Amino acid sequence: MNKRWFGILSPVVLWLCFFMMVPMIAVVGVSFLSRDTVGNLVWTFNISNYTRFFDPLYLGIYWDTIWLSVLTTLLCLLLSYPLAYYITTAGPRTQKWMLIGVTVPFWINFLIRTYAWVLILRTQGLVNMGLEQLGMISEPMQLLYTKGAVLLGMVYTFIPYMVLPIYVSLEQMDKRQLEAASDLGASRWSAFWRVTLPQTKSGIMTGGVLVFVTTTGMFVITDILGGAKSQMLSNIIQNQFLSARDWPFGAALSVIFMISSLIIIWLFNRALRSKYESAKEARA
Amino acid sequence: MKSNTLNRKNPLLSIHSFLMMAFIYIPVIVIIVYSFNDSRLSMSWEGFTFDWYLSLLDNRNVMEALKNSLIIALTSTIVSTVLGTMAAIAMRKLMSKSKGAIAGLLYMPIVVPDIIMGLSLLVLFSQLGLDLGKTTVIIAHITFSISYVYVIVSSRMANMGNQLEEAASDLGATQWETFRYVVLPSIWPGVIAGALIAFTLSIDDFLISFFVAGPNSSTLPIYIYSSVKRGISPEINALCTIMILVSVALIILAQWLLNRGNREEKKTSMLPF
């Protein structure tokens, strides 16, 4: 019986092995090669692509990237949690419409959503035009091609990624515990801090990982809203592959990117599990 | 029933949520509104026009990109829907130790960041000596779409019991007949929804196509990206508006198909998993 199902699965498995696994392994392989002057791969083993990463220039970009991802994740969390909370407590009709409202942006091309901010932020854009007409500024402000614009674009793009997991965990929470807390005299704030927040930790973690990892790989937003000044790790990777034609170095940076993402996911998971286990022990 | 503690409304919370929804939608509305503005450069409102939509029709680059996007999306949707559905049907029945590993493989394209997928396929294609073009983009799109079709069809089948299939075979149906007349009709809405999602993902994809498209295989998102890098233009607003409306319409259709027939489940299942 199983033989038949393996037979049906084999084209998919072969496809994904060949176009997903093999290429990723090839990237790891390429990261240990070198290149000649025209950019062709040269088959000599070396680790100089990795040692080059420790150049202050690249380390600086790496830290900028991590810092931007951390800021984006925190801002998304602060802005999304109250929204998710509101959606959970709303009546069924409002709830349904608001959920659709935060889901639809997933399906609008993020390139288009980023471009919208160009219309709003550029020197002849909506914000500058509005402020000028109100007489609040005489000269247009430089809003586009700044770090702030990149942060805004990132937070804007990833808010739905944070709202939905938090909403799911709020929805699954055992609400009787809140009644118990209030019966036992807890204030609403203390009930929130001591009952609701710990119970929605898994949603916060899922959203956090999703936002953090995706932000790190998003070169388009820095490219369009940050201009040439703000370079992130993903911009450098993209550049090595498509313009500079230094594939071995680009591959090494990609491996570093994947490893740091895995470490972050692992850390998040560990934090989540340790909390969960200490809660279990406390109950025992 | 909601508990009272959760239900007490805080006005600050309502204001925050209203502002957040405005924040999410204002940029999208700005694009749509300005695609009708009768001014090439200024952001001040100069009157309503439909010209930018008409000038898209005369733009050879846009028409070429549209043609490429449609060819790529249709081909990759057909292949990935067949493969993804086969995977979902087989995985439901498979009893094997390797099931976990296969499931991991099936989720990989969703989990791996787009940029990594794009550049690793670029490395593969160049080592195979394949010229970048529509074929390479189609292969890349099939690879990520398989996973989404698989997830959607599987979720549709999760609500499906074994009773009907057992009844059919007890009544003497062959395995093919059971599949054709029992399994297929009940998963059909899921398959169509999966195909619509695959189509939308393909039409919308920028990151992966950017790595594996050749000079003559620009898709609509690649065209938009290169125009945006050159500066803003009202034609781009019009093109973006069309793409927004098409994606949203396709997704609403997919959502409707998935919810129809799921009568036991009162909650609407929201698409992004």
Side-chain angles (χ1 to χ4, degrees), chain B residues 110-128:
Chain B
I110 299 181
V111 180
V112 171
D114 285 0
I115 182 174
I116 300 292
M117 202 170 151
L119 65 89
S120 59
L121 280 168
L122 172 65
V123 168
L124 178 82
F125 293 144
S126 83
Q127 291 310 302
L128 291 175

Side-chain angles (χ1 to χ4, degrees), chain B residues 32-33 58 75 150 164 252:
Chain B
I32 297 176
V33 168
D58 296 328
T75 321
Y150 164 74
L164 275 178
I252 290 174

Side-chain angles (χ1 to χ4, degrees), chain A residues 4, chain B residues 164-165 167-186:
Chain A
R4 171 205 306 273
Chain B
L164 275 178
E165 282 164 87
S169 68
D170 287 350
L171 292 168
T174 64
Q175 286 212 304
W176 167 250
E177 285 166 341
T178 314
F179 175 76
R180 173 67 187 81
Y181 298 107
V182 178
V183 179
L184 203 56
S186 59

Side-chain angles (χ1 to χ4, degrees), chain B residues 2-49:
Chain B
K2 289 259 152 64
S3 80
N4 290 327
T5 355
L6 258 176
N7 235 358
R8 245 178 276 157
K9 279 277 167 350
N10 181 334
L12 277 178
L13 204 58
S14 315
I15 295 168
H16 172 83
S17 303
F18 176 77
L19 290 177
M20 288 297 288
M21 294 311 274
F23 176 57
I24 291 175
Y25 280 97
I26 282 174
V28 178
I29 294 167
V30 166
I31 290 193
I32 297 176
V33 168
Y34 279 93
S35 72
F36 297 108
N37 186 14
D38 195 3
S39 157
R40 179 156 273 281
L41 288 167
S42 157
M43 287 297 277
S44 54
W45 186 255
E46 309 284 344
F48 183 92
T49 180

Side-chain angles (χ1 to χ4, degrees), chain A residues 213-244:
Chain A
V213 173
T214 329
T215 309
T216 321
M218 211 38 128
F219 69 85
V220 180
I221 296 175
T222 30
D223 208 25
I224 293 180
L225 298 178
K229 276 179 294 177
S230 19
Q231 292 257 317
M232 295 294 144
L233 185 62
S234 51
N235 297 84
I236 306 287
I237 293 177
Q238 184 258 113
N239 190 45
Q240 297 305 320
F241 274 95
L242 298 177
S243 319

